[in-house]
Amino acid sequence: MLWSDPENEPPEELRDMQAMLRRLGVLMALAMVLAMIVIGLR
């Protein structure tokens, strides 16, 4: 980390990226469940 960074607080871009990855993970999980249901119905 850079010396100018605050101690505990992650930088803005990192927090945005983490939030985006979290949303992407939720979407991927929902898509997988949906795919399993569709495959199971066939």
Side-chain angles (χ1 to χ4, degrees), residues 14-30:
L14 189 62
R15 273 180 292 171
D16 289 346
M17 196 165 62
Q18 283 174 341
M20 194 181 69
L21 285 174
R22 203 173 297 125
R23 284 196 294 267
L24 195 65
V26 170
L27 280 175
M28 285 293 288
L30 286 174

Side-chain angles (χ1 to χ4, degrees), residues 31-41:
M32 287 294 288
V33 170
L34 199 62
M36 289 294 200
I37 291 171
V38 168
I39 290 171
L41 288 177

